[in-house]
Amino acid sequence: FFRSLHFPSCCTMAPQSGNMVQGAVLQCLEAATLGMPFEVWKTRMGRNRHETTIEAFKNVYKSGGAQAFWKGTSAKMVESATKGCILLYAKESILASLNKTGTSPGIAGALAGAGGGICQVSVMGPCTFLVTAVVTQKNATVGQFMKQTWAEQGIKGFYPGGSAIAMRQASNWASRQGFTEFVRNQMRNAFHGGDKKAKLTNRQEIYSGIIGGIMACWNHPFEVARIEMQASAAAGEAKVNMVTTLRNIHSTNGTQGLFQGVIPRVGLGIWQTLFMVIAPKLIANYMEKK
């Protein structure tokens, strides 16, 4: 399986080229499995903040059965392939450079993750907008919204909530990579005598990713703002900036409203961290042994 993700031809390519292929494949696998259900569930809760976690789950199911959890998959696959490619290329390149300078693992991970996350925004804006539109609007299709948005606003119409996406992605991957690298370092201290070059076991790597993914969800208010801004744009409502959106949500739903949907977000955070932070390390370890 790992060999299929790291094509033999990559052995003669620059490492960055292999990261691009690997990133696209891993991100598509992440989304096609549990990523999309968590995304749809979280998006519904971010827009319908009066619903509880279980109510939102049931309402998604009622809207179209099990397949409703994969609504908007076509746009998501385009997003996943491109953002996965960009993320792993940028993140791993920055991380490798910082490691050579002796930067601490946690700080290097945070800076690399932030850089990779920001690079993703160019392709994520249109795709997340289309997924949010079909999840929050009744009887909507990706094709319909693409045509309607292009006809009415052109390319800029696909980037509502761009500032919230940038803040979310930078803090997302800075946190996921940074916290995971911090936990990995603690694992070395606890189980490998503090040897900085020690290889963690697969189980220790996975536990590090789970903990890092959970800790990275502190920035959930940015995600709620992103959902609200994009859903409002899809519904034809007046545009407001991210700060105003956060204030409006807080005044209407309180602090709890800013963290609505955090449970499926935790699931998504763990799943994405395992695929995009831990899996590349496991693949690299596997290939070294071959």
Side-chain angles (χ1 to χ4, degrees):
F1 173 72
F2 288 154
R3 186 177 291 277
S4 69
L5 297 181
H6 206 90
F7 300 108
S9 61
C10 290
C11 295
T12 59
M13 298 164 64
Q16 291 88 344
S17 300
N19 285 336
M20 292 174 71
V21 175
Q22 196 179 100
V25 174
L26 286 172
Q27 194 85 73
C28 284
L29 285 173
E30 172 271 317
T33 50
L34 292 180
M36 271 305 292
F38 280 131
E39 182 74 34
V40 170
W41 187 9
K42 172 198 69 175
T43 299
R44 181 178 180 92
M45 291 190 70
R47 178 60 167 170
N48 301 283
R49 291 183 294 278
H50 59 281
E51 296 181 354
T52 66
T53 303
I54 300 301
E55 286 174 345
F57 184 91
K58 289 180 178 178
N59 287 334
V60 171
Y61 186 82
K62 289 177 182 178
S63 69
Q67 72 181 62
F69 286 96
W70 278 268
K71 193 173 184 179
T73 297
S74 58
K76 190 67 176 179
M77 286 298 101
V78 174
E79 175 194 331
S80 295
T82 51
K83 79 174 185 179
C85 171
I86 291 170
L87 174 67
L88 215 60
Y89 180 93
K91 178 172 68 69
E92 294 301 317
S93 297
I94 296 171
L95 187 61
S97 297
L98 290 173
N99 285 338
K100 291 178 181 178
T101 67
T103 306
S104 69
I107 294 175
L111 292 174
I118 291 172
C119 290
Q120 288 184 317
V121 178
S122 60
V123 296
M124 287 191 66
C127 295
T128 56
F129 169 64
L130 292 171
V131 172
T132 301
V134 298
V135 171
T136 58
Q137 303 297 308
K138 293 182 179 180
N139 302 319
T141 67
V142 170
Q144 288 173 343
F145 265 100
M146 286 182 66
K147 292 178 181 178
Q148 179 183 331
T149 302
W150 181 263
E152 294 177 357
Q153 303 178 60
I155 189 67
K156 68 177 183 179
F158 291 93
Y159 286 90
S163 58
I165 296 174
M167 291 295 293
R168 184 195 69 172
Q169 288 308 108
S171 55
N172 259 1
W173 290 108
S175 300
R176 289 170 183 169
Q177 188 79 39
F179 283 135
T180 299
E181 292 298 337
F182 174 78
V183 175
R184 292 180 76 243
N185 198 47
Q186 299 308 305
M187 289 280 188
R188 290 192 184 94
N189 292 335
F191 301 107
H192 300 277
D195 182 359
K196 294 182 178 180
K197 296 183 179 180
K199 295 284 187 181
L200 300 185
T201 66
N202 289 350
R203 182 174 295 182
Q204 289 167 354
E205 292 281 14
I206 291 170
Y207 285 159
S208 297
I210 291 173
I211 295 170
I214 293 171
M215 294 174 70
C217 291
W218 66 270
N219 68 347
H220 193 64
F222 292 136
E223 174 64 351
V224 175
R226 190 275 303 173
I227 293 170
E228 181 67 19
M229 292 171 76
Q230 291 188 330
S232 296
E237 299 172 9
K239 293 182 180 179
V240 294
N241 61 38
M242 183 180 69
V243 174
T244 301
T245 299
L246 289 168
R247 286 175 179 169
N248 291 343
I249 293 171
H250 187 268
S251 64
T252 304
N253 305 103
T255 302
Q256 180 180 345
L258 296 173
F259 288 89
Q260 189 73 352
V262 73
I263 292 178
R265 175 86 189 289
V266 166
L268 181 61
I270 292 172
W271 199 240
Q272 290 188 337
T273 303
L274 290 177
F275 270 87
M276 302 308 294
V277 177
I278 299 302
K281 297 182 186 300
L282 297 181
I283 293 171
N285 290 343
Y286 175 83
M287 298 304 293
E288 285 179 5
K289 296 177 182 178
K290 301 302 288 183

